Every structure is written in structure tokens, then in C-alpha cells.
Amino acid sequence: MSTLTDRAEIVHTNFLNRIEAGKLPAPANNLGLSEAGLTQEELVELLHIQLLSRHLDRMSRKLQARGEGFYTIGSSGHEGNAGIAWALRPDDMAFLHYRDAAFQIARSRQVPGSTPLWDMLLSFTASSEDPISGGRHKVLGSKTLFIPPQTSTIASHLPKAVGAAYSIGVAERLKPEHQQLADDSIVMVSFGDASLNHSTAQGAINTACWSAYQNSPMPLLFVCEDNGIGISTRTPGGWVEASVRARPALKYFRCNGLDVAETHAVAAEAAAYVRGQRKPAFLHMGCVRLYGHAGADAQTAYMSAKQIEAEEAKDPLLSSAARLIREGIMSAEEILTTYRGVSARVERAAEHVITRPKLKTADDVMASLIPPKRACAPALETSKTDREKLLGKSDVRALGEPQHMAKLINLAMTDLMLAHEEIVLAGEDVGKKGGVYGVTQRLQDRFGRTRVIDTLLDEQSILGLGIGMAHNGLLPMPEIQFLAYLHNAIDQLRAEAASLSFFSNGQFTNPMVVRIAGLGYQRGFGGHFHNENTVAAIRDIPGLILACPSNGRDAVLMLRECVRLAREEQRLVVFLEPIALYMVRDLHEKGDGGWMFDYPAPDSTDTIALGDVGVHGEGKDLAIVSFANGAYLSRQAQKILQDEHGFAATVIDLRWLSPLPKDSLLAALKGHNRVLIVDECREQGSHSEALTTLLKEETGLATARLVATDSYIATGPAYGATMPDRDGIISAALALAKGDEK
């Protein structure tokens, strides 16, 4: 017998033997069915659900042993969570632990037309007909069941569950066009006892408590499924309760997950509390893990035979059977007949499912990477009088005068929030203070605390808030205060936000625009925590759009395009704002005002579409390709090259860093023989690598690059020592010209 299936078959045989011999567990409590809120028919239904979950686990191992299945992490021992699903409404959004098959099956029984057996087998076998992921991953999930798919094993889905719960109160007030959750819905999120220790889980629970402590609505039910072990490491006895019971603004409930009736009763009480009080609760469900962690995990490597047998004796299916027999609802023989009948049904279905089509090509796999477009209502119109009243005299005056980038972004966000009431800003200090650099100044006064949210200091929670709000039809614009801070939370973009459409076959989306202040060249406020000159980690995320303006006018037009991309095309966008250019006014000499621009009116026909590069100058001696601070410095060098060296250059501003605007760039390079790439990011992992490769593969142009050294950035006078400067660009351009002449 395969090691993939032997433990499952031992548990299977032991169940049959114990039922036949009448060796059933004693009652865990004196709770009657009516006290549990269940009828006899419902208890029988819950047994059917638990049996189906169990036999699907067995089948997943058999299929993998045959080479027909591809993922075997199972739910055996956790089947009590069927009682939790039965206690919730099917429109309560559920972010599920990967051992929650019984929950999804139970919920499917509440929604007519669901086919959980067929659907899960399609998922196990990676069929392209899998209704949730289209064969891309074995995930729990369903659009009709309000279960977004999760691929996390370390609780990275908790922050967005907090965001979704918070969104319910916001959506109740704003009524977004694409609202998904009812005003009285709650959100449920489940995870294991080992995952509770992860910083992501701790941050999410803290955020929920922090919000509820201030009386912000937070209708969220945390469910910790405590089986006492994480892969091979034991959870200390009593640890889960001790670590959460005293949390402020969090009500603690506990249930024995081996008894589905008790689990239902306690879950119903917890759900009623969350729904009625709009506050978070923590449901601690004791359970057991059967079969080991996943796949070929051999429990015998870290558990004794006696320990394994003791765990298997706690099988929740035995508890359900014992209650049914004890109360005279079903006989032992009827339970055995039902058990075998479900097994046979799963076997028959599996033989059909393995013949269903699979994904074959890269195009097949990538088909859902980019979310589908959606219809959106037209932008709201605001009268000139109302707009000017909202802006105030000083900003009305600013509309008619050239401004630096920070002010222009602020004006753009004001008009965007006027046009689209579903936009919600969130981040550290964005509200009352208006951000570290004043970019969001006055926005909270203009639009209120519902739409401009001062968050706690936790980047994972900020991005989770954005993802969760987007699940409910809002258009979030979370801010990460500095690019260096993103690394604490980038998995929220990589594994959660960007992957959602991919793993749900485009059924679930979380469109948003993440604003990040970053890059280098800050003079007075530097160091590597505030000057971060690499974006490689963002560029490497499939499906994500990375925008980076170099000047205020571009920033306005690109931000409008980013909002359109998120709103209408449901894209995940990062808008990277170069800090050092926020307040820059001059280009060549003090007082020239060369880097201040007029504000493009909201009804302007000027646009910068995704992939449009900026072309400055017509010189054919050299093309300088850059972005952000590099584009600014290249514009300075461009003038000196012309005035002092008679060298005519064109500066091409990339603007869009991911995906690279290849077509527009190559079109802009026509007529040039030399290209200098100026990249303020570090040599390894910078855009210059991709750009050099592109030019080598697509053109015969003489190419050189000027990049930052592979170093952190220093504070003080050496703030720019490791990065390209104006004079370095001039020298590199002249060297390229001389090399070409040779």
C-alpha cells in the first residue's frame, strides 16, 4: 500500500471496526439537540457532510498515488467545522483554512444547485473545469458560496479578512456600485493553531482589536482550529486560549470540534454576538489532525504509535455516529451503510473526473492572471461652486498656477475622490497630519474619516485593509509611507492581492491603487529606511502594474489612469512616488520653475495611458532612457550636452515600470544609434538588466548603462554617492559617443 494512502486506510478501517464493535466515545457533554439548535434531520445531514469530506480526503490520496491527483493536504479530524458553516449565513464571506472542506460542503448544502463532490474532485485532479481555480491549484473556494480561494498556509489571509469585515461598515455608508456584502453580514476567517503564532496572524488580530476598541464596526469571527500540532511541532497545551483570551475588545468562545452539535451551538452564539454587536470574536475549536500534515508526511517520524492511535481514537466522525446512535436517530448498521454508500459515490465520481480536460499551455495557465473588465457607472459631476468650496481659496488659487508634484497629486486625489465615491484612502498619518510630506493634506477634512483613514502602524494590516475593502466593491488607495517599509508586507501583494484573480479564474478580484513614497536622493531625511532604491520585488509580481512618474503633470495623468485601470479593469496597481521630487521646483538653475507644472483639469483631453512613454527632445545623437529621479537628472544633463558639447539627446521617460512599455520604447528609439540607460536602482535586479536585454534582442543599437552600486544608501552628505548624478550621466553619454566613433 502506498505511504500516501496507508494511514488514511488505517483510519478508515478503524472507523468501521469501532462502529461494528460498538466501541464508541462517551458523550463529551450533556448538550441536547434542541439546545444545540439542531433538528434530527440536520444532525443526519451534518453526518453526511462529514462523511463526504472524509471520503474526499481518502480519494485525494488514492488519486495522487495513481498519478491522477496533485494535492493531498486534508481536512480529516477537522470535520466539526461543518457545524460552524451551519451556524452562519451563506452570504457571510468566509476566508477558509485549508482543512475546511467540511465547511465548504456544509455551506454548499445551504445553496441550491451546488455540486461539492464533483467540484472538489475536479480541483484534486487539476482539471480545467474546476469551477474555482480552473485547474491552477487545489483550493477551497466558490463565488456563489462567498468563499474566496486561499492558498496560504501561514495565515496571510487574515489581514484581508479584517479589511473585509471593516469594509461592511464603510460600504453601509458609501453604498459602492459593486458592493458584495450585505450590511448585516459578518466575515469568518479560519486558521490553525500553529498559524496563530505567525506575525501576520498576530498583526491581524491586533488590528481587529485596535479598531473595535475604538468602537469601529468589526463584524469578524476568527476561528482557530486547534489540533495541537503544526507539521511536526506541538503547540503547548493551553497556549491558544492564554494568548487570546485577554485581548481587548475580543470575545473568546471555545468549543469541542469533535462534537459537531456543540460546535454548532457555540458557533451560533459567537456569530450572533458578532452580528449583533459588530465586534470581533475568537472561536477556539479543539480538533484532531488525522493522516499527518499532508501527502507523504510520515507521522511516525515525530509521533509514537501510541500517540497516533490516541489521536485516531478522537475521530470526530465517531463522535457524530455515537450521538446519532445514542439518541436513536440512526442505527450502527445504517451509519455503516451510509458510510460505505458515500465512499462508493466518491469512487464512481472520481473515475469520471479523471477523464476531464487539464490545462496544457502557458496561455491556458495565464488566462486568468489579468482580471476581467467590468462596467462602471460614469464619474460623478460636481459643480464648479461646490468644488471650489471644498478646495478652499488657497487650493483654488493653486489650480491656476504651476505647482510641484506633491501639490498636484493632492489636487488629483481630491478630484478623483469627488468623481468616485467608492475611493477610500488609508495609511499611517494620511488623515489629520496629511502624510509625512503633506501629499494627503486636507483630504480628511474634505471627505471625512470614513474615506480617509488613519491606520495603525502595520503595513500588513494596511494592505490587508485594502484587499478586504476591494472584496466589497470599494476602491481602496492604501499608502505605504516609505518603500523600505513595504518589505514587511509585500506578501500581501504577491501571494494575496495579485494571485486572487489567477486562483479564482477571474471570479474574485481586489482592484486597488497602492501609493508608495520611495526611491533615493533625499538630502535631509535619508538612510536606507527612508531612501530605498530598488523595486525588483514589486516588478517580480505577476499581473501587477507599477507606475512611476517623474514630474507633477505626469503624476496627475498617470494617477487618473491608475484609478481607471483599477476601477474598470480591476487591476492591482502600485503608484510609486519619488520622494526627492515631491517639492522640486527648478530644473536647471534656482528660480527657473522648470519642474513645476499646471494642473490638468479633470475634463482635460490629455491622458497618459498604460504603456505610454514620455519623449523629451528630438536629438538623434543619443537617446537616454530613464525614469523618476533619473529622468529629472537626465533632463539636466540633456541641456548641458547640447550647450557645452553640441551633443543632441532625447530623454525617454519610461513612466511605467511593470510591465515594461516595450512597444512604446522601441518606437521612441527609432532613428537613434546610441542608447544610454540611466537607472537609479541597484545594478543587480534593476530595470537596466531587462532594458539592456530588450535592446540587445530587438535592436542593434550601441547601448550603455549607468546604474546605482549594489549598496544601501547613506545619510548625510553622501546621500547620493551610490547613485547616478547629472555629471555622471554627461560623462557616460560622451563615453558612449566616443566608443561608437571608435
Side-chain angles (χ1 to χ4, degrees), residues 237-309:
W239 169 249
V240 172
E241 180 175 356
S243 67
V244 300
R245 182 181 269 281
R247 292 263 195 170
L250 182 68
K251 191 170 179 63
Y252 175 84
F253 295 85
R254 180 166 188 151
C255 68
N256 175 11
L258 306 181
D259 185 333
V260 71
E262 178 185 325
T263 300
H264 175 267
V266 178
E269 182 184 359
Y273 169 83
V274 173
R275 204 180 306 278
Q277 300 298 316
R278 317 304 284 167
K279 290 184 179 296
F282 189 98
L283 175 56
H284 181 192
M285 185 184 97
C287 55
V288 63
R289 189 189 76 191
L290 305 176
Y291 302 178
H293 173 66
D297 174 45
Q299 288 175 291
T300 52
Y302 49 85
M303 293 174 67
S304 68
K306 186 175 181 180
Q307 287 175 317
I308 294 172
E309 290 171 5

Side-chain angles (χ1 to χ4, degrees), residues 414-589:
T414 298
D415 279 326
L416 285 166
M417 293 181 75
L418 277 171
H420 310 295
E421 289 187 323
E422 71 271 29
I423 292 178
V424 177
L425 274 58
E428 301 164 22
D429 303 309
V430 299
K432 190 172 183 180
K433 181 179 179 179
V436 175
Y437 299 94
V439 179
T440 56
Q441 223 167 45
R442 303 181 186 173
L443 293 180
Q444 193 175 76
D445 291 338
R446 291 168 181 164
F447 298 103
R449 294 187 178 184
T450 298
R451 297 186 65 194
V452 183
I453 304 166
D454 278 314
T455 68
L456 75 177
L457 198 158
D458 178 8
E459 285 75 25
Q460 289 186 117
S461 292
I462 293 169
L463 293 178
L465 174 63
I467 298 169
M469 288 196 295
H471 268 295
N472 198 18
L474 296 161
L475 184 58
M477 292 182 69
E479 177 185 292
I480 300 298
Q481 205 167 71
F482 293 99
L483 178 59
Y485 298 176
L486 175 67
H487 299 295
N488 297 323
I490 197 163
D491 199 50
Q492 288 296 301
L493 296 182
R494 184 195 67 83
E496 298 295 339
S499 70
L500 183 62
S501 177
F502 180 77
F503 286 121
S504 70
N505 213 13
Q507 297 170 85
F508 286 95
T509 59
N510 39 216
M512 62 180 179
V513 179
V514 183
R515 292 181 47 252
I516 306 176
L519 301 174
Y521 297 98
Q522 287 192 84
R523 294 172 182 268
F525 190 45
H528 71 288
F529 277 110
H530 300 109
N531 277 313
E532 168 62 290
N533 65 325
T534 179
V535 295
I538 308 175
R539 286 176 56 217
D540 195 42
I541 298 174
L544 180 148
I545 294 170
L546 175 58
C548 185
S550 66
N551 62 78
R553 180 183 178 279
D554 282 7
V556 172
L557 298 178
M558 291 173 68
L559 187 58
R560 290 174 184 167
E561 172 69 353
C562 289
V563 168
R564 188 199 67 78
L565 287 164
R567 185 168 178 265
E568 298 177 13
E569 300 188 20
Q570 304 195 82
R571 300 298 298 271
L572 170 64
V573 186
V574 170
F575 190 73
L576 180 62
E577 301 166 7
I579 299 172
L581 296 175
Y582 269 151
M583 309 297 178
V584 170
R585 290 172 166 78
D586 306 320
L587 177 56
H588 300 295
E589 57 187 35

